[in-house]
Short mmCIF file of all heavy atoms in Angstrom, two decimals:
data_model
loop_
_atom_site.label_atom_id
_atom_site.label_comp_id
_atom_site.label_asym_id
_atom_site.label_seq_id
_atom_site.Cartn_x
_atom_site.Cartn_y
_atom_site.Cartn_z
N GLY J 61 26.44 12.86 1.59
CA GLY J 61 26.22 12.80 0.14
C GLY J 61 25.00 13.60 -0.28
O GLY J 61 24.27 13.24 -1.20
N MET J 62 24.77 14.71 0.41
CA MET J 62 23.58 15.53 0.22
C MET J 62 24.03 16.89 -0.31
O MET J 62 25.11 17.36 0.07
CB MET J 62 22.94 15.70 1.61
CG MET J 62 21.56 16.27 1.68
SD MET J 62 21.08 16.50 3.45
CE MET J 62 20.50 14.86 3.89
N SER J 63 23.25 17.50 -1.19
CA SER J 63 23.65 18.82 -1.67
C SER J 63 23.48 19.84 -0.54
O SER J 63 22.65 19.66 0.36
CB SER J 63 22.80 19.24 -2.87
OG SER J 63 21.50 19.58 -2.45
N TYR J 64 24.26 20.90 -0.61
CA TYR J 64 24.14 21.97 0.39
C TYR J 64 22.73 22.51 0.41
O TYR J 64 22.14 22.74 1.47
CB TYR J 64 25.14 23.09 0.08
CG TYR J 64 25.01 24.25 1.04
CD1 TYR J 64 25.67 24.23 2.27
CD2 TYR J 64 24.18 25.33 0.73
CE1 TYR J 64 25.52 25.27 3.16
CE2 TYR J 64 24.04 26.38 1.63
CZ TYR J 64 24.71 26.35 2.83
OH TYR J 64 24.55 27.38 3.72
N MET J 65 22.16 22.70 -0.79
CA MET J 65 20.82 23.29 -0.87
C MET J 65 19.78 22.41 -0.20
O MET J 65 18.90 22.88 0.50
CB MET J 65 20.46 23.53 -2.34
CG MET J 65 19.15 24.26 -2.57
SD MET J 65 18.96 25.76 -1.55
CE MET J 65 20.03 26.90 -2.45
N ARG J 66 19.90 21.10 -0.40
CA ARG J 66 18.96 20.17 0.23
C ARG J 66 19.12 20.21 1.76
O ARG J 66 18.14 20.25 2.49
CB ARG J 66 19.20 18.75 -0.29
CG ARG J 66 18.35 17.71 0.40
CD ARG J 66 18.17 16.47 -0.45
NE ARG J 66 17.67 15.36 0.36
CZ ARG J 66 16.44 15.31 0.84
NH1 ARG J 66 15.58 16.28 0.61
NH2 ARG J 66 16.06 14.28 1.59
N ALA J 67 20.37 20.20 2.22
CA ALA J 67 20.61 20.25 3.66
C ALA J 67 20.04 21.55 4.24
O ALA J 67 19.40 21.55 5.30
CB ALA J 67 22.12 20.16 3.94
N TRP J 68 20.24 22.64 3.52
CA TRP J 68 19.76 23.94 3.99
C TRP J 68 18.22 23.91 4.09
O TRP J 68 17.65 24.40 5.06
CB TRP J 68 20.22 25.03 3.01
CG TRP J 68 19.92 26.41 3.48
CD1 TRP J 68 20.67 27.17 4.33
CD2 TRP J 68 18.76 27.18 3.13
NE1 TRP J 68 20.06 28.38 4.53
CE2 TRP J 68 18.87 28.42 3.82
CE3 TRP J 68 17.64 26.97 2.33
CZ2 TRP J 68 17.93 29.43 3.72
CZ3 TRP J 68 16.69 27.96 2.22
CH2 TRP J 68 16.84 29.17 2.92
N ARG J 69 17.57 23.30 3.11
CA ARG J 69 16.11 23.21 3.12
C ARG J 69 15.61 22.36 4.28
O ARG J 69 14.62 22.67 4.92
CB ARG J 69 15.59 22.60 1.82
CG ARG J 69 15.54 23.58 0.68
CD ARG J 69 14.60 23.08 -0.42
NE ARG J 69 14.70 23.94 -1.58
CZ ARG J 69 15.08 23.53 -2.79
NH1 ARG J 69 15.37 22.26 -3.01
NH2 ARG J 69 15.14 24.39 -3.78
N LEU J 70 16.30 21.24 4.55
CA LEU J 70 15.89 20.38 5.66
C LEU J 70 16.00 21.14 6.98
O LEU J 70 15.12 21.05 7.84
CB LEU J 70 16.74 19.10 5.71
CG LEU J 70 16.61 18.13 4.52
CD1 LEU J 70 17.45 16.87 4.75
CD2 LEU J 70 15.16 17.73 4.27
N VAL J 71 17.09 21.91 7.12
CA VAL J 71 17.26 22.71 8.34
C VAL J 71 16.15 23.75 8.45
O VAL J 71 15.58 23.96 9.53
CB VAL J 71 18.66 23.39 8.35
CG1 VAL J 71 18.73 24.47 9.43
CG2 VAL J 71 19.75 22.34 8.57
N GLN J 72 15.82 24.38 7.32
CA GLN J 72 14.74 25.39 7.35
C GLN J 72 13.44 24.75 7.81
O GLN J 72 12.69 25.34 8.61
CB GLN J 72 14.53 26.00 5.95
CG GLN J 72 15.65 26.90 5.49
CD GLN J 72 15.99 27.98 6.49
OE1 GLN J 72 17.05 27.93 7.13
NE2 GLN J 72 15.10 28.94 6.67
N THR J 73 13.12 23.56 7.28
CA THR J 73 11.88 22.89 7.67
C THR J 73 11.89 22.59 9.16
O THR J 73 10.91 22.86 9.86
CB THR J 73 11.71 21.57 6.88
OG1 THR J 73 11.70 21.87 5.49
CG2 THR J 73 10.41 20.89 7.25
N MET J 74 13.00 22.04 9.66
CA MET J 74 13.07 21.73 11.09
C MET J 74 12.92 23.00 11.93
O MET J 74 12.16 23.03 12.89
CB MET J 74 14.40 21.04 11.42
CG MET J 74 14.46 19.61 10.90
SD MET J 74 15.93 18.70 11.50
CE MET J 74 17.16 19.21 10.30
N ASN J 75 13.66 24.04 11.55
CA ASN J 75 13.61 25.27 12.33
C ASN J 75 12.22 25.89 12.32
O ASN J 75 11.82 26.56 13.28
CB ASN J 75 14.65 26.26 11.82
CG ASN J 75 16.06 25.93 12.30
OD1 ASN J 75 16.23 25.02 13.13
ND2 ASN J 75 17.05 26.65 11.80
N THR J 76 11.47 25.67 11.25
CA THR J 76 10.12 26.21 11.14
C THR J 76 9.13 25.39 11.98
O THR J 76 8.19 25.93 12.54
CB THR J 76 9.67 26.22 9.66
OG1 THR J 76 10.61 26.97 8.91
CG2 THR J 76 8.29 26.84 9.51
N CYS J 77 9.35 24.08 12.02
CA CYS J 77 8.41 23.19 12.72
C CYS J 77 8.48 23.32 14.23
O CYS J 77 7.48 23.12 14.93
CB CYS J 77 8.67 21.73 12.35
SG CYS J 77 8.10 21.28 10.69
N PHE J 78 9.67 23.64 14.74
CA PHE J 78 9.84 23.68 16.19
C PHE J 78 9.71 25.12 16.71
O PHE J 78 9.92 26.08 15.97
CB PHE J 78 11.19 23.07 16.59
CG PHE J 78 11.20 21.56 16.45
CD1 PHE J 78 11.52 20.96 15.24
CD2 PHE J 78 10.86 20.75 17.53
CE1 PHE J 78 11.49 19.57 15.10
CE2 PHE J 78 10.83 19.36 17.40
CZ PHE J 78 11.14 18.78 16.19
N ARG J 79 9.33 25.23 17.97
CA ARG J 79 9.14 26.55 18.59
C ARG J 79 10.42 27.36 18.55
O ARG J 79 10.41 28.57 18.38
CB ARG J 79 8.75 26.38 20.07
CG ARG J 79 7.34 25.89 20.26
CD ARG J 79 7.00 25.76 21.73
NE ARG J 79 5.80 24.99 21.90
CZ ARG J 79 4.57 25.45 21.69
NH1 ARG J 79 4.39 26.72 21.35
NH2 ARG J 79 3.53 24.67 21.83
N GLU J 80 11.55 26.68 18.80
CA GLU J 80 12.86 27.33 18.73
C GLU J 80 13.69 26.59 17.70
O GLU J 80 13.53 25.39 17.51
CB GLU J 80 13.55 27.25 20.10
CG GLU J 80 12.83 28.06 21.17
CD GLU J 80 13.39 27.80 22.56
OE1 GLU J 80 14.47 27.21 22.67
OE2 GLU J 80 12.71 28.19 23.53
N PRO J 81 14.60 27.30 17.03
CA PRO J 81 15.42 26.63 16.01
C PRO J 81 16.24 25.48 16.60
O PRO J 81 16.66 25.55 17.76
CB PRO J 81 16.35 27.73 15.50
CG PRO J 81 15.89 29.00 16.09
CD PRO J 81 14.92 28.72 17.18
N LEU J 82 16.45 24.45 15.80
CA LEU J 82 17.30 23.33 16.22
C LEU J 82 18.76 23.58 15.82
O LEU J 82 19.67 23.06 16.44
CB LEU J 82 16.83 22.02 15.58
CG LEU J 82 15.38 21.61 15.78
CD1 LEU J 82 15.18 20.16 15.32
CD2 LEU J 82 14.93 21.76 17.22
N VAL J 83 18.92 24.40 14.77
CA VAL J 83 20.26 24.65 14.23
C VAL J 83 20.50 26.15 14.20
O VAL J 83 19.64 26.91 13.73
CB VAL J 83 20.38 24.07 12.80
CG1 VAL J 83 21.74 24.42 12.18
CG2 VAL J 83 20.17 22.56 12.81
N ALA J 84 21.65 26.57 14.70
CA ALA J 84 22.05 27.97 14.62
C ALA J 84 23.16 28.10 13.59
O ALA J 84 24.10 27.29 13.58
CB ALA J 84 22.55 28.45 15.98
N SER J 85 23.03 29.06 12.70
CA SER J 85 24.04 29.26 11.65
C SER J 85 24.77 30.57 11.93
O SER J 85 24.19 31.54 12.40
CB SER J 85 23.39 29.35 10.28
OG SER J 85 22.62 28.20 10.05
N ARG J 86 26.04 30.56 11.64
CA ARG J 86 26.83 31.79 11.72
C ARG J 86 27.33 32.11 10.33
O ARG J 86 27.89 31.25 9.64
CB ARG J 86 28.02 31.60 12.66
CG ARG J 86 27.62 31.41 14.11
CD ARG J 86 28.85 31.13 14.95
NE ARG J 86 29.52 29.91 14.52
CZ ARG J 86 29.20 28.70 14.93
NH1 ARG J 86 28.23 28.54 15.80
NH2 ARG J 86 29.85 27.64 14.49
N ARG J 87 27.14 33.34 9.91
CA ARG J 87 27.61 33.75 8.58
C ARG J 87 28.69 34.79 8.73
O ARG J 87 28.61 35.65 9.61
CB ARG J 87 26.46 34.34 7.76
CG ARG J 87 25.53 33.28 7.24
CD ARG J 87 24.33 33.90 6.56
NE ARG J 87 23.37 32.85 6.26
CZ ARG J 87 22.98 32.53 5.03
NH1 ARG J 87 23.42 33.18 4.00
NH2 ARG J 87 22.12 31.55 4.85
N GLY J 88 29.68 34.73 7.86
CA GLY J 88 30.72 35.75 7.83
C GLY J 88 31.69 35.63 8.99
O GLY J 88 31.57 34.75 9.84
N GLY J 89 32.69 36.48 8.99
CA GLY J 89 33.69 36.49 10.06
C GLY J 89 34.55 35.23 10.02
O GLY J 89 34.60 34.52 9.01
N LYS J 90 35.21 34.96 11.13
CA LYS J 90 36.13 33.82 11.17
C LYS J 90 35.38 32.49 11.10
O LYS J 90 35.92 31.51 10.63
CB LYS J 90 36.95 33.87 12.47
CG LYS J 90 38.01 34.93 12.44
CD LYS J 90 39.17 34.57 13.36
CE LYS J 90 40.32 35.57 13.18
NZ LYS J 90 41.44 35.31 14.10
N GLN J 91 34.15 32.48 11.63
CA GLN J 91 33.38 31.23 11.68
C GLN J 91 32.47 31.10 10.46
O GLN J 91 31.41 30.50 10.55
CB GLN J 91 32.54 31.20 12.96
CG GLN J 91 33.33 31.37 14.22
CD GLN J 91 33.29 30.11 15.05
OE1 GLN J 91 32.30 29.42 15.07
NE2 GLN J 91 34.38 29.82 15.74
N HIS J 92 32.90 31.66 9.35
CA HIS J 92 32.12 31.66 8.12
C HIS J 92 31.51 30.29 7.83
O HIS J 92 32.23 29.30 7.74
CB HIS J 92 33.02 32.08 6.95
CG HIS J 92 32.31 32.10 5.63
ND1 HIS J 92 31.34 33.03 5.33
CD2 HIS J 92 32.40 31.30 4.56
CE1 HIS J 92 30.89 32.81 4.11
NE2 HIS J 92 31.51 31.75 3.62
N GLY J 93 30.20 30.27 7.69
CA GLY J 93 29.53 29.02 7.32
C GLY J 93 29.35 28.04 8.45
O GLY J 93 28.90 26.93 8.24
N GLY J 94 29.69 28.44 9.66
CA GLY J 94 29.56 27.52 10.79
C GLY J 94 28.10 27.26 11.12
O GLY J 94 27.23 28.10 10.91
N ALA J 95 27.82 26.07 11.63
CA ALA J 95 26.47 25.71 12.07
C ALA J 95 26.61 24.80 13.28
O ALA J 95 27.54 24.00 13.35
CB ALA J 95 25.70 25.01 10.96
N SER J 96 25.69 24.94 14.21
CA SER J 96 25.74 24.08 15.40
C SER J 96 24.33 23.84 15.90
O SER J 96 23.40 24.57 15.55
CB SER J 96 26.59 24.73 16.48
OG SER J 96 26.04 26.00 16.79
N LEU J 97 24.18 22.82 16.74
CA LEU J 97 22.86 22.57 17.33
C LEU J 97 22.64 23.51 18.50
O LEU J 97 23.55 23.76 19.29
CB LEU J 97 22.76 21.12 17.83
CG LEU J 97 22.92 20.02 16.79
CD1 LEU J 97 22.42 18.69 17.37
CD2 LEU J 97 22.19 20.33 15.50
N THR J 98 21.44 24.01 18.61
CA THR J 98 21.05 24.79 19.78
C THR J 98 20.77 23.81 20.93
O THR J 98 20.77 22.58 20.74
CB THR J 98 19.76 25.57 19.49
OG1 THR J 98 18.72 24.62 19.22
CG2 THR J 98 19.93 26.50 18.29
N GLY J 99 20.50 24.33 22.10
CA GLY J 99 20.11 23.48 23.23
C GLY J 99 18.88 22.65 22.87
O GLY J 99 18.82 21.45 23.16
N THR J 100 17.91 23.31 22.24
CA THR J 100 16.71 22.58 21.80
C THR J 100 17.08 21.50 20.79
O THR J 100 16.58 20.38 20.86
CB THR J 100 15.70 23.56 21.17
OG1 THR J 100 15.31 24.52 22.16
CG2 THR J 100 14.46 22.84 20.67
N GLY J 101 17.98 21.82 19.88
CA GLY J 101 18.41 20.86 18.87
C GLY J 101 19.03 19.62 19.50
O GLY J 101 18.74 18.49 19.09
N ARG J 102 19.90 19.85 20.49
CA ARG J 102 20.55 18.71 21.15
C ARG J 102 19.52 17.85 21.89
O ARG J 102 19.57 16.63 21.86
CB ARG J 102 21.63 19.21 22.14
CG ARG J 102 22.89 19.69 21.44
CD ARG J 102 24.05 19.88 22.43
NE ARG J 102 23.75 20.90 23.43
CZ ARG J 102 23.97 22.20 23.27
NH1 ARG J 102 24.49 22.65 22.14
NH2 ARG J 102 23.67 23.05 24.23
N ARG J 103 18.56 18.51 22.54
CA ARG J 103 17.56 17.77 23.29
C ARG J 103 16.65 16.98 22.35
O ARG J 103 16.32 15.82 22.62
CB ARG J 103 16.74 18.75 24.15
CG ARG J 103 15.77 18.08 25.07
CD ARG J 103 16.48 17.29 26.17
NE ARG J 103 15.58 16.39 26.87
CZ ARG J 103 15.87 15.13 27.20
NH1 ARG J 103 17.06 14.62 26.94
NH2 ARG J 103 14.99 14.38 27.83
N VAL J 104 16.24 17.61 21.27
CA VAL J 104 15.36 16.95 20.30
C VAL J 104 16.07 15.75 19.67
O VAL J 104 15.47 14.67 19.51
CB VAL J 104 14.89 17.96 19.23
CG1 VAL J 104 14.34 17.26 17.98
CG2 VAL J 104 13.82 18.89 19.82
N LEU J 105 17.34 15.91 19.33
CA LEU J 105 18.12 14.79 18.78
C LEU J 105 18.18 13.64 19.79
O LEU J 105 17.96 12.47 19.43
CB LEU J 105 19.53 15.27 18.41
CG LEU J 105 20.54 14.21 17.95
CD1 LEU J 105 20.04 13.45 16.73
CD2 LEU J 105 21.90 14.86 17.65
N ALA J 106 18.44 13.96 21.04
CA ALA J 106 18.52 12.91 22.08
C ALA J 106 17.18 12.20 22.24
O ALA J 106 17.12 10.97 22.39
CB ALA J 106 18.96 13.52 23.40
#
Side-chain angles (χ1 to χ4, degrees):
Chain J
M62 192 184 277
S63 73
Y64 177 85
M65 185 48 77
R66 175 157 165 71
W68 187 84
R69 280 199 188 120
L70 296 183
V71 167
Q72 290 307 109
T73 301
M74 288 189 275
N75 282 353
T76 303
C77 285
F78 287 86
R79 287 181 194 282
E80 294 171 13
L82 305 192
V83 176
S85 304
R86 292 176 299 274
R87 284 174 189 242
K90 286 206 173 177
Q91 304 246 326
H92 180 69
S96 58
L97 299 195
T98 62
T100 298
R102 285 192 298 273
R103 186 67 194 137
V104 162
L105 174 58

